Amino acid sequence: MSEVKLAAETRTEFGKGAARRIRRDSKVPAVVYGHGAEPVHITLPGHELLLALRTPNVLLSLDIEGKTQLAIPKAVQRDAIKGFLEHVDLLLVNRGEKVTVEVFVQTEGELAPGSFLLEHVLNTLTVEAEATHIPESVTVSIAGLEAGASILAKDIPLPAGTTLAIDEDAVVLQVLSAQAEEPEGEAAGEAAAEA
């Protein structure tokens, strides 16, 4: 996992007006908390933060008043229409510390021939990993699976040092048979015959 370095500035102004002024200067208001310390309110460079957050579970190296601290994004608020960052909550982490995060589940391979549908019951998997070695995603093979097959959380291969943080018997993916739709005339005819 890559570490992204960002210069942070502490802030003393709070509220909507202060947040708007910060965003007008192409910066993002944020709060850093964790390890029993008092929350620290900061501003971060908007463009650099936006680029960093494109990587899931990115590790941020924050320079706050000359002191470097590691953090991971915990909550990101975006404008619903324009998509720009409005506020970010960051959780302090230490090297070697285990953290619980969600990673995306990706599939590879083709289902068995036939009319089957792959249902993603869970799009993400909750795992525990070292803060500096958080996987961006996990990949599972669906090659040759037929209707009725399920992939459980325990069936998904995890990188070394990563463990499941959810029930290992939780269904992540399942294969369904595609239902053929009846022509409207036949369905209406059957309903009339039953009446």
Side-chain angles (χ1 to χ4, degrees), residues 135-147:
E136 289 184 24
S137 63
V138 291
T139 304
V140 62
S141 174
I142 59 167
L145 293 181
E146 296 184 351

Side-chain angles (χ1 to χ4, degrees), residues 11-30 41-44 77 84-88:
R11 61 187 170 102
T12 54
E13 287 187 305
F14 306 103
K16 287 184 180 179
R20 284 190 188 115
R21 282 192 293 278
I22 290 168
R23 287 191 284 271
R24 205 176 307 130
D25 291 337
S26 298
K27 295 181 181 178
V28 178
H41 297 273
I42 60 173
T43 60
L44 295 168
Q77 297 173 12
F84 62 79
L85 297 173
E86 289 191 333
H87 190 273
V88 179

Side-chain angles (χ1 to χ4, degrees), residues 5-174:
K5 296 184 180 191
L6 295 175
E9 301 168 12
T10 55
R11 61 187 170 102
T12 54
E13 287 187 305
F14 306 103
K16 287 184 180 179
R20 284 190 188 115
R21 282 192 293 278
I22 290 168
R23 287 191 284 271
R24 205 176 307 130
D25 291 337
S26 298
K27 295 181 181 178
V28 178
V31 64
V32 182
Y33 58 89
H35 297 146
E38 285 291 317
V40 178
H41 297 273
I42 60 173
T43 60
L44 295 168
H47 184 69
E48 289 89 338
L49 181 60
L50 186 64
L51 292 176
L53 292 176
R54 288 185 178 171
T55 302
N57 297 314
V58 66
L59 183 64
L60 301 173
S61 177
L62 304 175
D63 180 10
I64 305 172
E65 296 180 342
K67 184 179 176 186
T68 301
Q69 295 184 311
L70 294 177
I72 57 172
K74 209 57 181 165
V76 178
Q77 297 173 12
R78 296 178 188 269
D79 180 270
I81 297 170
K82 297 181 182 175
F84 62 79
L85 297 173
E86 289 191 333
H87 190 273
V88 179
D89 287 3
L90 302 170
L91 178 66
L92 289 174
V93 294
N94 292 322
R95 291 187 192 282
E97 176 184 359
K98 291 265 191 178
V99 293
T100 302
V101 294
E102 291 187 357
V103 294
F104 288 104
V105 176
Q106 297 182 337
T107 59
E108 64 182 9
E110 297 290 324
L111 295 174
S115 298
F116 301 125
L117 299 172
L118 180 65
E119 179 186 14
H120 285 258
V121 179
L122 299 175
N123 290 321
T124 60
L125 200 60
T126 306
V127 298
E128 187 176 71
E130 189 179 319
T132 54
H133 294 91
I134 299 171
E136 289 184 24
S137 63
V138 291
T139 304
V140 62
S141 174
I142 59 167
L145 293 181
E146 296 184 351
S150 294
I151 295 179
L152 306 178
K154 66 183 176 187
D155 300 330
I156 298 177
L158 299 174
T162 304
T163 57
L164 284 175
I166 62 167
D167 179 14
E168 63 180 22
D169 292 324
V171 176
V172 179
L173 301 166
Q174 61 186 7

